[in-house]
């Protein structure tokens, strides 16, 4: 109803829901790419840290 009235008054009633959905998908894809890149960069360092912790705990349990 409101769209019909806007058309009669000469207003533009463009439906931008599709464009907004595409924008949200692009933002989500960009965020996913950033997270994946961060994991790739930080991952080996975190793995080394956890391995050191594991070795320390294993060594502490083996000590008399």
């Amino acid at each position: 109803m409101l769209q019909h009235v806007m058309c009669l008054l000469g207003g533009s009633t463009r439906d931008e829901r599709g464009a907004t959905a595409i924008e949200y998908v692009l933002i989500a894809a960009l965020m996913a790419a950033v997270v994946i890149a961060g994991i790739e960069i930080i991952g080996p360092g975190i793995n080394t840290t956890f391995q050191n912790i594991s070795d320390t705990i294993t060594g502490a349990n083996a000590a008399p």
Side-chain angles (χ1 to χ4, degrees):
M1 173 79 177
L2 181 60
Q3 289 179 346
H4 182 68
V5 172
M6 290 297 290
C7 284
L8 291 175
L9 295 175
S12 175
T13 58
R14 294 182 357 186
D15 186 9
E16 297 183 2
R17 286 179 289 176
T20 304
I22 291 171
E23 290 168 357
Y24 284 132
V25 168
L26 291 173
I27 291 169
L30 179 62
M31 290 173 60
V34 169
V35 168
I36 290 170
I39 290 171
E40 289 291 325
I41 292 169
I42 298 172
I46 292 174
N47 188 28
T48 301
T49 301
F50 279 116
Q51 187 62 47
N52 291 341
I53 292 170
S54 175
D55 293 344
T56 302
I57 291 172
T58 303
N61 287 336

